[in-house]
Amino acid sequence: MKNLKTSPTIQFNGKPASRNTTSFRGISGSTLKIIAIVTMLLDHIGASLLQPILTDAARSLGVTSWSAGSLISACPDIAIPYYILRYIGRIAFPIFCFLLVEGFLHTRNLQKYCLRLAIFALISEIPFDLAFHYTPFYPESQNVFFTLLIGLLVISFDRWCHESLTAYPFSNILPILVFLAGMGLAEYLQTDYGCIGVIAIDVLYQLRRHRITSCILAAAFLCLSSLLEVTAFLFAPLVGFYNEERGLSLKYVFYVFYPVHLFILYIIGIAGAR
């Protein structure tokens, strides 16, 4: 076990603080993951449970404009909680993208990392379709694991090219082509966040030495997909406090939590509709 270092004495108004005072040590990777999981859950509660209720209420009231202002004005009791949950939930995806890049940089077995994402992408697809489309097979939308997997493959190929093909003149062109192919694949499969998600992952990787800049730029790209994404910028200060420590061992928590919570939300939605 790593020994804890004694914190330097902190002074307040020129006087030393108590020895019991501890300094803020930043946010670990596990803390970021927990924040992402919680905010994702809130987002999915809004998207899978409140959105159908809001849609039905708006239609029954004859609402013709589906703007946030119109919905809040017509159905404030439903629309306000819905938008609060969705705006909070915008923090989750960019955090997962950041953690994906961190995992890629520190993994001991890239093949297992990719395989794990692929397996859970397949496992999660039926719960994903049930939770958001109320059908076990909805080919027009794929879960976020597919986006993360494509992004991981793109940055993996980029690193391989720069490590193994530096002597060849096309070593800088191939990663761009694969990046474009990854964007195209995400759009073709209609994965969650699509090509914008792949761009966000690549930005976080390419600018990894400039953490805050990469976070702001990734959030800006996410805003291109929806106005709801404006609160994605809030993940930047959280990542800014990242202390590059793993924290608690939560390796499989997200993988398992994702399909399980989607299936539970589907059950709740079905029960509420009866």
Side-chain angles (χ1 to χ4, degrees), residues 99-119:
L99 293 175
L100 177 84
V101 173
E102 284 295 299
F104 165 68
L105 294 173
H106 296 96
T107 186
R108 296 178 180 177
N109 193 319
L110 180 59
Q111 290 76 18
K112 285 186 177 180
Y113 194 8
C114 293
L115 180 61
R116 188 161 59 245
L117 281 172
I119 290 173

Side-chain angles (χ1 to χ4, degrees), residues 85-260:
L85 292 176
R86 298 307 306 277
Y87 277 118
I88 293 174
R90 300 302 88 202
I91 302 172
F93 179 69
I95 293 179
F96 284 128
C97 291
F98 173 79
L99 293 175
L100 177 84
V101 173
E102 284 295 299
F104 165 68
L105 294 173
H106 296 96
T107 186
R108 296 178 180 177
N109 193 319
L110 180 59
Q111 290 76 18
K112 285 186 177 180
Y113 194 8
C114 293
L115 180 61
R116 188 161 59 245
L117 281 172
I119 290 173
F120 277 93
L122 296 175
I123 291 173
S124 301
E125 190 55 29
I126 289 179
F128 177 82
D129 290 340
L130 288 172
F132 297 116
H133 306 291
Y134 291 92
T135 177
F137 182 68
Y138 190 80
E140 297 180 10
S141 179
Q142 319 306 326
N143 71 77
V144 76
F145 273 124
F146 286 102
T147 310
L148 296 175
L149 175 59
I150 293 171
L152 178 60
L153 293 174
V154 166
I155 63 177
S156 299
F157 188 83
D158 182 280
R159 184 173 70 177
W160 178 79
C161 285
H162 286 91
E163 288 180 351
S164 305
L165 302 178
T166 53
Y168 298 91
F170 53 81
S171 62
N172 292 324
I173 299 176
L174 280 179
I176 296 175
L177 295 177
V178 171
F179 170 64
L180 294 175
M183 290 174 58
L185 181 61
E187 286 298 302
Y188 176 76
L189 295 177
Q190 300 186 65
T191 66
D192 204 9
Y193 285 92
C195 67
I196 298 297
V198 176
I199 293 173
I201 292 169
D202 195 62
V203 166
L204 290 168
Y205 172 69
Q206 300 295 343
L207 299 178
R208 60 192 179 276
R209 294 182 179 84
H210 307 280
R211 188 176 295 167
I212 298 301
T213 300
S214 69
C215 290
I216 292 174
L217 190 56
F221 275 109
L222 290 174
C223 287
L224 297 177
S225 64
S226 171
L227 292 177
L228 278 174
E229 298 295 334
V230 66
T231 48
F233 285 100
L234 296 177
F235 99 103
L238 294 174
V239 169
F241 285 118
Y242 175 55
N243 58 17
E244 300 186 14
E245 295 181 4
R246 185 180 68 174
L248 300 175
S249 180
L250 302 175
K251 185 175 182 179
Y252 288 97
V253 170
F254 170 59
Y255 293 100
V256 175
F257 181 83
Y258 188 77
V260 169

Side-chain angles (χ1 to χ4, degrees), residues 66-84:
W66 294 94
S67 66
S70 298
L71 292 172
I72 291 173
S73 177
C75 317
D77 294 343
I78 305 172
I80 292 176
Y82 167 76
Y83 280 108
I84 289 175

